[in-house]
C-alpha cells in the first residue's frame, strides 16, 4: 500500500527542531515542518509583522510571504495608518504586499501564488483553500506565523489522515458545497477529529478546481486540520488560466493509499442539499421545498465560476419581489473577470445588489428579517446569521440558491427546471490578469529604518525562581471579553498592544492596570474556565504587555493557554479547588524550582510567602512547550534561531512560486503518457 500525498508532503518538508527547541518535541510525537509560504491577512495581520519585528525583523527567511491589506474600504484614521504600516514593513522585510481593494487574502494567494507541493501557514481559516491546488495549508497563531517568517520550522502534532475516495461524477445540480454538506452529515458532530482530509485521486478528477476550493476552504467546518486534493490536469488547467502553468506539477494519491481512516462517497448519487440554521441539520432540498426565505446571500468565498453557475441557473429570470439578493465579490480579479464575461451585468439585471465583501453584504441583509439562504459566506456560514436582528442563514450550493431566489422559497433546482440538467457552454478558463495592486519585493528595498510603531511584548526567559504579586483574583468562567472588553475603542486599537493594554479587566477591576504597572507585573489567579470564548490573541498579548508572568487557575480554555504560552507566560492549574479559595489578591507567590524543575507531568509547588502556605499545581506542558516556556516564548526562540543561522538571505525570487520543491514523489501524469515524474531534491 503506497503512502498518500499528505504523508509525502510532510516527510519532504520535515526538518530538525530549530534553536532552543533542537531535540525537544520528538518524545511528544511532534513534527517540525519547513514552511514555504505564509499568508498574512485579516484584521489581525499587522500583529504578525509586529511580532516578526520583535523577533529581530530583517528579511523574511521563507520563499513567499503575502501580506494583504484590507479587502474593502478603510474606515477611520487608525485603519489607514495600519495599511501604511503593513505596506512599509512588507517592503522592508521583502514580502509581497497586496494593496487594499485587491481582495481577500485566500483569493489572491490561491489565484496568483499557490503552487502544488508547497506548505503554507496563515492566521485566517481561508488559508485552507490552497489545499485545492495540492498545497498543505495550516491555520496557525500570529506568533507562530511570525516565527515562520523568521525561518523557524512550524511544529505540529503527528496528524492522522482521513482518506476520502470520491466515486462517480456529480450531476450538474450539485457541486463542492454539496460535497461539504454530505461529508458533514456522514462524519457527524466530531467531524474529521483534527485529521487531514485527503481526497484520493480516483474520484478527484470529477471535481473542478472551483468545487475543490469550496471543499478545501471548509476544513474547519469539517473538523479537519486541512483538506488536500491531488494536483492533476484540472489543477494544470486552472494554473494555465492564471498564466502560471510553469508552477504545475503532478501530485496525488492512489485510491489504495495508506490512510488512518477511509471514507467512500459516491458523488453521482448526491442531491442538492441544504444545511438548516436551526441546529445545522443537513437535509435534501426536496424535503424542505416551500420554506419561505427573505434573502439570498452569495458570499465573498464564491469565485467567478460559482457566480457563472449561479447566473446560468437564473436563465434570465428576475429575483422574486420578496427576496433580497446580495452578491459579495471577494477579489478584484473575480470582479474584473465576471464583468468581462457579462456575469455582473446579468446579476444586476436579475435584481441583485453587488457589493464588495461580506461586511457590506451583512449590512444589506440586516433589514430583511426571516430566513436567508447563503453560499460562500466565509467560515462558520451556518452561524453567520444574526438572530438578534431577526434573521438566520441556511447554507446551500449556487444551484439551490439560484432556484430559491427566483421562487421566493427554498426550491430544489430540479423542480424549477425539470429536465434541464447539464448546461452546455464553451469552457472559459481565462482570467483577467491584472497585478497592478501587488507590490512585489525589490532587490534593494529603500532604507526606512526600523518601525516606530508600538510592538509586541517579548517574553523573558526563565532563569530562576518565579516570584510575583497576585494582581487579581478572578471568579469562575471569566471569558475573553472580560479580560479585554471588545468594542469600538478597543477594536480601533487592536494592533496597538501598549494602547490596548489600558483596557485590561476594565469592567472587572478598574485599578488592575495601575497596579500591574506599579508592581512591574505579577500573577493572575482565577477560577474554572478562565479565558473561554472567541480565540482573540489580544487578550494574551495585553497580559504579557503588563508583565503578567503566570496565570494560576482551576482550569483554563486551551486556546488562551496556548496563546499565553507562546508569549512566554505560564498557565498553571490548581491541583485542589480549596487552594484557589485560600489565595487572596495582594499575596506574594513564588515557584522556587524553576526552570530546572519544569519537567513533563511533574507537579510544581507554589509558595504563598504572604500566608506561609504552599499549593501543588500542574502545568500540562509537553517537552517542546517546556523549551518554549524556558526561552520566554516563541519569539525569543525565533530570534535565537535566526541569529544561529547567520541571517542567511534567501535567493532572490519574484515570489511567483516558480522554483522546484523537494516533494520527492509524484503521481503519474494523466493523458500524456510520460509515466511518473520525480523531483530531484538536489535542485532545491
Amino acid at each position: 500500500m503506497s503512502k498518500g500525498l499528505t504523508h509525502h508532503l510532510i516527510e519532504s518538508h520535515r526538518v530538525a527542531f530549530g534553536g532552543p527547541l533542537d531535540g525537544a518535541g520528538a518524545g511528544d510525537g511532534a513534527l517540525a515542518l519547513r514552511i514555504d509560504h505564509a499568508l498574512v491577512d485579516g484584521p489581525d495581520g499587522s500583529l504578525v509583522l509586529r511580532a516578526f519585528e520583535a523577533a529581530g525583523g530583517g528579511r523574511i527567511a521563507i520563499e513567499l510571504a503575502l501580506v494583504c491589506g484590507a479587502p474593502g474600504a478603510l474606515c477611520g484614521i487608525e485603519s489607514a495608518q495600519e495599511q501604511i504600516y503593513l505596506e512599509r514593513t512588507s517592503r522592508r522585510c521583502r514580502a509581497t504586499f497586496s494593496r487594499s481593494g485587491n481582495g481577500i487574502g485566500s483569493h489572491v494567494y490561491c489565484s496568483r501564488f499557490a503552487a502544488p507541493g508547497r506548505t503554507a501557514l496563515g492566521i485566517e481559516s481561508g488559508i485552507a483553500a490552497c489545499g485545492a491546488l495540492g498545497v498543505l495549508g495550516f491555520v496557525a497563531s500570529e506568533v507562530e506565523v511570525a516565527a515562520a517568517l523568521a525561518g523557524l520550522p512550524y511544529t505540529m502534532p503527528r496528524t492522522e489522515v482521513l482518506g476520502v475516495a470520491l466515486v462517480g461524477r456529480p450531476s450538474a445540480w450539485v457541486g463542492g458545497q454539496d460535497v461539504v454538506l454530505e461529508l458533514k452529515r456522514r462524519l457527524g458532530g466530531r467531524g474529521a477529529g483534527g485529521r487531514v482530509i485527503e481526497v484520493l485521486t480516483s474520484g478527484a478528477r470529477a471535481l473542478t478546481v472551483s468545487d475543490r476550493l469550496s471543499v478545501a476552504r471548509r476544513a474547519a467546518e469539517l473538523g479537519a486540520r486541512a483538506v488536500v486534493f491531488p494536483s492533476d490536469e484540472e489543477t494544470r488547467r486552472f494554473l494555465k488560466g492564471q498564466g502560471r502553468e510553469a508552477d504545475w506539477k503532478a501530485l496525488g494519491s492512489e485510491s489504495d493509499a495508506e490512510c488512518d481512516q477511509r471514507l467512500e462517497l459516491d458523488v453521482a448519487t448526491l442531491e442538492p442539499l441544504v444545511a438548516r440554521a436551526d441546529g445545522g441539520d443537513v437535509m435534501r432540498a426536496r424535503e424542505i421545498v416551500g420554506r419561505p426565505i427573505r434573502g439570498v446571500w452569495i458570499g465573498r468565498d464564491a469565485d467567478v465560476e460559482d457566480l457563472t453557475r449561479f447566473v446560468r441557473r437564473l436563465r434570465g429570470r428576475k429575483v422574486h419581489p420578496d427576496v433580497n439578493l446580495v452578491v459579495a465579490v471577494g477579489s478584484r480579479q473575480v470582479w474584473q473577470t465576471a464583468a468581462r464575461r457579462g456575469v455582473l451585468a446579468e446579476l444586476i439585471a436579475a435584481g441583485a445588489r453587488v457589493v464588495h465583501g461580506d461586511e457590506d453584504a451583512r449590512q444589506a441583509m440586516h433589514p430583511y428579517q426571516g430566513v436567508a439562504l447563503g453560499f460562500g459566506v466565509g467560515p462558520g456560514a451556518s452561524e453567520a446569521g444574526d438572530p438578534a436582528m431577526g434573521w438566520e442563514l441556511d447554507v446551500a450550493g449556487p444551484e439551490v440558491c439560484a432556484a430559491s431566489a427566483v421562487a421566493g422559497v427554498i426550491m430544489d433546482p430540479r423542480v424549477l427546471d425539470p429536465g434541464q440538467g447539464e448546461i452546455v457552454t464553451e469552457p472559459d478558463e481565462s482570467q483577467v490578469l491584472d497585478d497592478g495592486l501587488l507590490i512585489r519585493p525589490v532587490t534593494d528595498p529603500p532604507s526606512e529604518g526600523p518601525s516606530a510603531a508600538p510592538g509586541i511584548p517579548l517574553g523573558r526567559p526563565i532563569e530562576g525562581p518565579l516570584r510575583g504579586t497576585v494582581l487579581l483574583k478572578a471568579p469562575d468562567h471569566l471569558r475573553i471579553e472580560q479580560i479585554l472588553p471588545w468594542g469600538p475603542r478597543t477594536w480601533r486599537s487592536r494592533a496597538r498592544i501598549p494602547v490596548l493594554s489600558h483596557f485590561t479587566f476594565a469592567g472587572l477591576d478598574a485599578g488592575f492596570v495601575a497596579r500591574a504597572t506599579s508592581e512591574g507585573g505579577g500573577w493572575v489567579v482565577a477560577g474554572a474556565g478562565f479565558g473561554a470564548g472567541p480565540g482573540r490573541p489580544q487578550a494574551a498579548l495585553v497580559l504579557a504587555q503588563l508583565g503578567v508572568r503566570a496565570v494560576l487557575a482551576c482550569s483554563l480554555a486551551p486556546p488562551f493557554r496556548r496563546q499565553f504560552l507562546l508569549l512566554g507566560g505560564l498557565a498553571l492549574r490548581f491541583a485542589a479547588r480549596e487552594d484557589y479559595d485560600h489565595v487572596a489578591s495582594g499575596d506574594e507567590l513564588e515557584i522556587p524550582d524553576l526552570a530546572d524543575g519544569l519537567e513533563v507531568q511533574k507537579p510544581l509547588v507554589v509558595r504563598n510567602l504572604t500566608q506561609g502556605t504552599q499549593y501543588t499545581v500542574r502545568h500540562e506542558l509537553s517537552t517542546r512547550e517546556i523549551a518554549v516556556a524556558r526561552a520566554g516564548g516563541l519569539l525569543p526562540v525565533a530570534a535565537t534561531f535566526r541569529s544561529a543561522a547567520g541571517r542567511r538571505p534567501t535567493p532572490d525570487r519574484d515570489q511567483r512560486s516558480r522554483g522546484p520543491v523537494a516533494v520527492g514523489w509524484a503521481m503519474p501524469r494523466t493523458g500524456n503518457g510520460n509515466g511518473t515524474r520525480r523531483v530531484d531534491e538536489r535542485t532545491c
Side-chain angles (χ1 to χ4, degrees):
M1 183 176 290
S2 63
K3 285 194 173 183
L5 177 56
T6 302
H7 287 301
H8 282 279
L9 289 176
I10 288 176
E11 290 303 317
S12 64
H13 287 80
R14 189 174 174 184
V15 294
F17 292 87
L21 302 185
D22 202 15
D28 304 319
L31 303 172
L33 298 184
R34 171 174 53 84
I35 296 300
D36 299 316
H37 296 172
L39 175 59
V40 180
D41 64 338
D44 292 327
S46 61
L47 290 178
V48 175
L49 296 189
R50 284 184 163 88
F52 174 66
E53 290 190 306
R59 182 175 172 182
I60 63 168
I62 60 176
E63 179 183 321
L64 165 75
L66 176 63
V67 180
C68 299
L74 302 180
C75 298
I77 189 171
E78 294 89 354
S79 297
Q81 290 171 342
E82 284 304 301
Q83 301 311 305
I84 293 172
Y85 168 77
L86 286 172
E87 184 170 343
R88 289 180 175 175
T89 308
S90 298
R91 184 184 300 116
R92 187 166 54 248
C93 71
R94 299 197 58 186
T96 295
F97 183 68
S98 177
R99 301 184 70 182
S100 298
N102 206 31
I104 58 175
S106 60
H107 271 292
V108 178
Y109 175 64
C110 289
S111 62
R112 306 306 302 145
F113 298 100
R118 269 45 171 198
T119 53
L121 282 187
I123 60 174
E124 297 283 310
S125 61
I127 186 63
C130 66
L133 302 173
V135 180
L136 196 57
F138 298 110
V139 179
S141 73
E142 289 77 5
V143 172
E144 288 173 312
V145 176
L149 293 180
L152 188 70
Y154 172 64
T155 304
M156 58 175 285
R158 289 188 181 273
T159 302
E160 295 185 347
V161 175
L162 169 61
V164 176
L166 302 182
V167 179
R169 186 176 185 84
S171 73
W173 304 108
V174 301
Q177 181 65 59
D178 299 290
V179 174
V180 171
L181 296 180
E182 179 63 16
L183 285 173
K184 288 182 68 175
R185 189 186 68 81
R186 295 273 294 272
L187 293 172
R190 189 169 179 264
R195 300 179 176 89
V196 173
I197 294 179
E198 180 174 322
V199 180
L200 304 179
T201 301
S202 59
R205 300 187 185 97
L207 295 182
T208 65
V209 170
S210 177
D211 286 330
R212 298 179 190 189
L213 288 166
S214 295
V215 177
R217 63 169 44 100
R218 302 302 177 202
E221 291 183 32
L222 293 170
R225 284 187 58 85
V227 175
V228 62
F229 280 82
S231 173
D232 53 17
E233 289 299 324
E234 281 292 329
T235 315
R236 186 177 194 172
R237 190 176 298 113
F238 173 84
L239 292 175
K240 182 179 180 181
Q242 295 288 341
R244 300 196 294 121
E245 189 176 6
D247 288 342
W248 179 80
K249 58 171 62 72
L251 299 170
S253 304
E254 297 303 324
S255 56
D256 64 344
E258 179 181 344
C259 301
D260 298 283
Q261 186 178 346
R262 187 178 298 270
L263 175 67
E264 185 174 290
L265 178 59
D266 187 353
V267 294
T269 63
L270 279 184
E271 298 184 41
L273 300 173
V274 178
R276 297 284 298 274
D278 49 353
D281 293 334
V282 176
M283 307 182 69
R284 298 179 181 88
R286 59 181 171 86
E287 296 174 343
I288 52 174
V289 166
R291 187 184 190 204
I293 61 172
R294 293 300 313 278
V296 172
W297 178 357
I298 306 300
R300 67 179 191 176
D301 285 344
D303 62 17
V304 69
E305 301 305 327
D306 294 323
L307 297 180
T308 302
R309 287 164 58 185
F310 181 82
V311 162
R312 288 171 181 167
R313 289 300 176 191
L314 288 178
R315 293 183 178 276
R317 291 173 288 211
K318 299 289 185 181
V319 174
H320 192 279
D322 292 337
V323 173
N324 178 36
L325 173 59
V326 179
V327 179
V329 181
S331 75
R332 185 167 176 251
Q333 185 185 76
V334 172
W335 187 287
Q336 292 178 317
T337 305
R340 191 188 67 179
R341 295 184 185 180
V343 171
L344 291 186
E346 292 188 61
L347 285 170
I348 294 171
R353 300 172 63 183
V354 183
V355 299
H356 291 276
D358 276 352
E359 284 306 313
D360 291 342
R362 192 184 300 273
Q363 294 299 321
M365 294 293 294
H366 271 172
Y368 297 84
Q369 297 186 356
V371 176
L373 198 59
F375 168 74
V377 191
S382 58
E383 291 84 35
D386 191 347
M389 296 296 293
W391 66 285
E392 57 187 28
L393 187 72
D394 291 355
V395 179
E399 290 80 12
V400 175
C401 288
S404 303
V406 171
V409 295
I410 290 183
M411 178 59 63
D412 187 333
R414 299 169 298 178
V415 175
L416 188 67
D417 291 318
Q420 293 294 331
E422 189 75 43
I423 298 177
V424 180
T425 59
E426 290 297 323
D428 188 353
E429 300 164 2
S430 63
Q431 303 279 332
V432 174
L433 305 181
D434 180 0
D435 290 343
L437 293 184
L438 285 176
I439 302 177
R440 300 180 186 275
V442 296
T443 304
D444 296 312
S447 178
E448 299 180 2
S451 170
I456 297 294
L458 196 63
R460 292 173 289 171
I462 298 175
E463 298 175 340
L466 184 64
R467 180 182 297 180
T469 301
V470 177
L471 302 172
L472 174 74
K473 183 175 181 181
D476 289 334
H477 310 300
L478 193 77
R479 295 176 56 83
I480 285 289
E481 53 268 28
Q482 295 171 286
I483 299 174
L484 181 63
W486 207 243
R489 288 191 298 170
T490 48
W491 190 91
R492 287 197 299 267
S493 303
R494 62 187 304 146
R496 294 170 169 81
I497 302 306
V499 175
L500 204 61
S501 65
H502 292 289
F503 298 95
T504 308
F505 295 118
L508 184 68
D509 185 347
F512 176 83
V513 175
R515 205 159 47 246
T517 303
S518 64
E519 293 285 346
W523 295 44
V524 169
V525 173
F530 183 80
R536 194 171 291 136
Q538 288 85 351
L541 283 165
V542 294
L543 291 181
Q545 178 69 36
L546 293 171
V548 176
R549 298 294 306 276
V551 173
L552 182 54
C554 296
S555 64
L556 298 100
F560 173 83
R561 171 192 170 278
R562 178 172 174 76
Q563 290 279 1
F564 194 53
L565 167 70
L566 293 176
L567 294 168
L570 281 178
L572 307 173
R573 181 172 57 85
F574 283 109
R577 171 77 190 198
E578 300 79 40
D579 295 337
Y580 161 76
D581 297 330
H582 294 154
V583 179
S585 181
D587 285 355
E588 187 173 3
L589 305 181
E590 180 189 55
I591 304 178
D593 55 346
L594 289 181
D596 294 337
L598 199 58
E599 299 177 8
V600 175
Q601 296 183 345
K602 179 182 177 181
L604 295 171
V605 173
V606 175
R607 293 176 179 173
N608 190 324
L609 302 180
T610 302
Q611 300 185 26
T613 57
Q614 65 181 31
Y615 322 112
T616 300
V617 299
R618 304 186 184 279
H619 56 74
E620 300 174 350
L621 299 176
S622 66
T623 304
R624 175 185 175 273
E625 290 174 330
I626 288 174
V628 171
R630 285 173 175 166
L634 198 63
L635 296 181
V637 172
T640 303
F641 176 83
R642 193 177 180 92
S643 177
R647 295 181 179 269
R648 292 190 297 267
T650 55
D652 285 342
R653 293 183 177 94
D654 68 352
Q655 300 210 15
R656 288 286 300 272
S657 310
R658 291 174 180 162
V661 172
V663 293
W665 170 83
M667 61 172 275
R669 293 189 181 185
T670 56
N672 58 15
N674 287 341
T676 302
R677 177 172 66 94
R678 287 183 178 269
V679 177
D680 188 349
E681 298 188 8
R682 294 172 297 178
T683 65
C684 301

